[in-house]
């Protein structure tokens, strides 16, 4: 998602924001039908084998992961609203931080949405 958002910024295609927001929303609400977990399972299968991919699929989708997707959705929803008002430059003020959060989670291993979920449920103290 981070790569799609950054590519949209570089090529002046702000309409990627609502598309990524929709995918993130589906991932937050119904991750079993979202393309993102399927892609993750496919990558795990290629790297670690079919048994590891089966365990990823059978373990389900944790609430922390859903919270991270919901956070991304919320940020991109505001960016999409700003885009609908007619200011693509200001919309990227929301799109780029969303890309940074997604990149931080996927590359850096720091999931802000997961941390927020842990604090909300009292496990992050």
């Amino acid at each position: 998602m981070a790569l799609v958002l950054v590519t949209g910024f570089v090529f002046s295609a702000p309409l990627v924001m609502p598309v990524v927001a929709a995918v993130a929303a589906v991932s937050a609400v119904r991750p079993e039908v979202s393309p993102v977990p399927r892609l993750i399972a496919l990558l795990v299968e290629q790297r670690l084998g079919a048994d590891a991919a089966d365990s990823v699929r059978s373990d389900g989708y944790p609430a922390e992961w859903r919270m991270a997707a919901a956070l991304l959705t919320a940020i991109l929803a505001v960016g999409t609203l700003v885009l609908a008002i007619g200011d693509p430059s200001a919309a990227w003020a929301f799109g780029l931080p969303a890309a940074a959060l997604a990149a931080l989670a996927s590359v850096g291993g720091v999931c802000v949405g997961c941390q927020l979920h842990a604090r909300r449920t009292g496990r992050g103290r």
Side-chain angles (χ1 to χ4, degrees):
M1 289 192 199
L3 186 59
V4 172
L5 287 168
V6 170
T7 303
F9 176 74
V10 168
F11 291 107
S12 298
L15 291 177
V16 301
M17 269 188 276
V19 172
V20 173
V23 171
V26 170
S27 294
V29 178
R30 300 259 335 256
E32 63 275 1
V33 298
S34 175
V36 176
R38 290 180 185 189
L39 178 62
I40 291 170
L42 178 68
L43 292 173
V44 168
E45 185 173 9
Q46 288 179 347
R47 293 281 182 178
L48 303 174
D51 292 337
D54 289 340
S55 71
V56 167
R57 290 183 191 107
S58 66
D59 287 345
Y61 306 100
E64 296 86 357
W65 193 84
R66 289 177 163 211
M67 179 68 171
L71 176 64
L72 190 65
T73 301
I75 294 169
L76 290 173
V78 175
T80 299
L81 181 62
V82 172
L83 183 63
I85 291 171
D87 193 355
S89 298
W92 284 114
F94 297 95
L96 290 177
L101 288 175
L104 189 62
S106 64
V107 177
V110 178
C111 177
V112 175
C114 300
Q115 295 298 319
L116 289 173
H117 181 269
R119 287 180 186 248
R120 192 181 99 204
T121 59
R123 289 186 276 162
R125 293 178 189 188

